[in-house]
Amino acid sequence: MIRSAMLGLALMISGCSITDEIPSFHDDNENNAIIDVVYAIHKLDCKSQFAKRHVMRIYDKTTWLKFYVQYKGSKDVEKLIGPFEQTLTGLYNKPNASVKYCELKRKSLFKQSEKIAEAIMSRY
């Protein structure tokens, strides 16, 4: 009796940790949000006088996605957004970024966002 209770408790505890590793399911809101981010990065013109506003738009769209996945509980997507957000914050926090710096960050952000989009949109 005690042995079966211990086994049940062990399975329950290990089951909780396993759920953190299971990929989340398809979500139209997450799909739309990541494509909005990718497209906003695609539209970023680092030579434009409005480049800072475009970066703010990317930051806002990323923040929306981050909050959505946190409240939904998509831990796998949240892990993907973390490194992307760090790259974006480097550009966002630099108000007088040179065109070259902006273009390098844009290239990195675009590659990262494409990979995130592929991962998010390949779920069932």
Side-chain angles (χ1 to χ4, degrees):
M1 174 92 161
I2 293 176
R3 187 175 277 175
S4 63
M6 295 285 279
L7 180 62
L9 181 61
L11 287 173
M12 212 166 62
I13 291 171
S14 66
C16 292
S17 64
I18 291 171
T19 59
D20 286 345
E21 301 300 321
I22 296 173
S24 56
F25 294 103
H26 172 87
D27 183 302
D28 287 334
N29 291 322
E30 289 174 2
N31 290 357
N32 289 333
I34 192 59
I35 293 303
D36 283 348
V37 171
V38 173
Y39 185 68
I41 295 166
H42 173 75
K43 296 290 288 182
L44 173 59
D45 179 2
C46 293
K47 295 175 185 171
S48 168
Q49 65 183 7
F50 302 110
K52 185 61 178 174
R53 284 190 200 165
H54 293 183
V55 172
M56 289 171 54
R57 183 179 311 129
I58 296 164
Y59 188 84
D60 288 346
K61 290 179 179 297
T62 302
T63 301
W64 187 95
L65 176 58
K66 178 182 161 187
F67 284 147
Y68 183 84
V69 300
Q70 282 177 341
Y71 288 114
K72 181 180 174 243
S74 299
K75 295 200 182 299
D76 55 335
V77 177
E78 190 175 351
K79 286 180 184 178
L80 294 173
I81 295 171
F84 173 83
E85 191 175 33
Q86 288 178 343
T87 304
L88 177 58
T89 300
L91 181 57
Y92 181 80
N93 287 336
K94 197 163 186 142
N96 298 321
S98 69
V99 172
K100 187 66 176 171
Y101 180 82
C102 176
E103 288 174 349
L104 289 170
K105 284 289 191 175
R106 180 189 173 279
K107 185 177 181 179
S108 179
L109 288 167
F110 193 73
K111 285 181 182 179
Q112 286 178 303
S113 66
E114 282 184 316
K115 293 296 183 189
I116 295 169
E118 288 171 7
I120 289 175
M121 296 182 77
S122 67
R123 299 175 301 170
Y124 295 99

